[in-house]
Amino acid sequence: MTRYDGCRVAFLTQHGKDELLRPLLARELGCETVRAEGFDTDLLGTFTRDIGRPGSQLAAARAKAVKAIELTGERIGVGSEGAFGADPIGGLLPWNTEVLVWRDTIHGIEVTGAAQGPGHSLQRTVPDDVGLRRFAEAADFPAHGIVLRPDNPDDPRIVKGLRDWPTLQQAFAQALGSSQSGQVFVETDLRAHMNPTRQRLILQAAQDLVARLQSACPACDAPGFSEKERISGLPCGLCGAPTRIPLAHVWRCDACGHADRRSVAGGRTADPARCDYCNP
């Protein structure tokens, strides 16, 4: 038994994420997932750049959770938002970050789950069927969908959701025929239902969310008691100066505000190689 047994959770999505997460939420929290309908989530931004995201990734996920509650009248809403960029280490690989926002008006809390890792996102301009086939093989087609448009990444004539060879080849021929440069811009379809690599990361974000929801506040017993802040300052093992390595984590309850500072140092010191003074 969990505090969410029998609760209905509204999920605003157009790309099947409710079906993806339904088994996990039912198994771990005992809740029923309901798809919220009546709002075009593309208005909050698209991966194909024809509609820009007006705010941050977290703000978009929050807006979806709030809208899910408004559309369904349920007390709990979930919103999901993904983002792609360069990997934070070398900056060479595509990197996917997924965020889930759980809006709970019963307990007056908002809980966020997140995950990040290598993404499956390729882009290329190709002139012919040979180039198209090479791209498709690199893009793990047809497991992952493809998007194309004539000429360049900003051409508004977009064809999405291509996931079989006959349809892809027909769409490519049409795009090539209307291209002024004799080129077609092709890219991986990053929408959740077209990108199984992204689906796996969404599930990881959902598992993080569930773990946070299963953590109760020691003061008021509300769900969502979790790490909200990291305090840097682990002392350098050579000179003793504070470094940017975490010294402690702060866990906080959104319902009552109770906070708990948890040291992660355990008597450790930082490697001088990580010290801005010893290794500027």
Side-chain angles (χ1 to χ4, degrees):
M1 296 288 290
T2 76
R3 69 181 71 242
Y4 290 114
D5 271 341
C7 289
R8 288 164 58 90
V9 177
F11 202 149
L12 179 61
T13 176
Q14 295 180 149
H15 303 138
K17 286 179 277 190
D18 55 324
E19 295 295 336
L20 178 66
L21 300 188
R22 178 175 282 112
L24 174 68
L25 298 181
R27 182 178 68 251
E28 299 295 334
L29 299 177
C31 56
E32 177 187 354
T33 304
V34 179
R35 180 183 294 182
E37 298 179 321
F39 179 81
D40 183 2
T41 56
D42 282 353
L43 296 175
L44 298 175
T46 63
F47 286 114
T48 45
R49 303 165 301 281
D50 43 318
I51 301 177
R53 189 169 60 201
S56 68
Q57 179 182 10
L58 178 61
R62 180 181 291 120
K64 292 177 182 179
V66 170
K67 197 67 179 179
I69 293 173
E70 292 177 358
L71 290 170
T72 63
E74 302 294 346
R75 301 289 303 278
I76 302 171
V78 180
S80 168
E81 183 74 1
F84 284 79
D87 75 270
I89 300 174
L92 299 176
L93 301 175
W95 197 256
N96 180 201
T97 302
E98 294 294 335
V99 170
L100 286 167
V101 170
W102 177 280
R103 192 88 168 186
D104 179 350
T105 63
I106 300 171
H107 298 94
I109 61 170
E110 178 182 286
V111 181
T112 302
Q116 59 179 314
H120 194 83
S121 173
L122 300 176
Q123 298 177 336
R124 194 174 300 168
T125 302
V126 299
D128 50 35
D129 286 339
V130 174
L132 176 65
R133 185 168 292 275
R134 288 174 179 168
F135 174 83
E137 291 173 354
D140 191 25
F141 178 85
H144 293 75
I146 285 179
V147 175
L148 56 78
R149 64 185 92 194
D151 293 318
N152 61 66
D154 300 315
D155 195 295
R157 294 168 292 178
I158 307 169
V159 183
K160 303 181 182 182
L162 300 167
R163 216 167 184 179
D164 66 80
W165 273 110
T167 306
L168 174 62
Q169 290 175 315
Q170 180 181 11
F172 180 80
Q174 292 175 345
L176 191 60
S178 60
S179 168
Q180 294 182 350
S181 64
Q183 305 267 357
V184 175
F185 182 79
V186 292
E187 61 186 319
T188 307
D189 196 326
L190 301 181
R191 294 174 299 169
H193 63 306
M194 290 284 161
N195 198 300
T197 301
R198 187 179 166 214
Q199 290 174 16
R200 289 191 286 271
L201 212 57
I202 293 172
L203 280 171
Q204 291 180 30
Q207 290 163 353
D208 180 54
L209 175 68
V210 165
R212 292 171 182 268
L213 288 169
Q214 291 174 334
S215 176
C217 173
C220 72
D221 198 44
F225 187 68
S226 57
E227 179 190 323
K228 299 296 174 64
E229 181 184 355
R230 293 187 178 186
I231 301 174
S232 61
L234 188 68
C236 171
L238 182 62
C239 73
T243 67
R244 285 178 279 182
I245 299 175
L247 176 67
H249 296 170
V250 177
W251 287 46
R252 186 175 292 113
C253 174
D254 288 342
C256 74
H258 173 75
D260 182 11
R261 174 174 167 143
R262 302 183 179 185
S263 173
V264 296
R268 295 185 301 114
T269 57
D271 186 334
R274 305 287 297 277
C275 176
D276 292 337
Y277 294 94
C278 295
N279 189 34

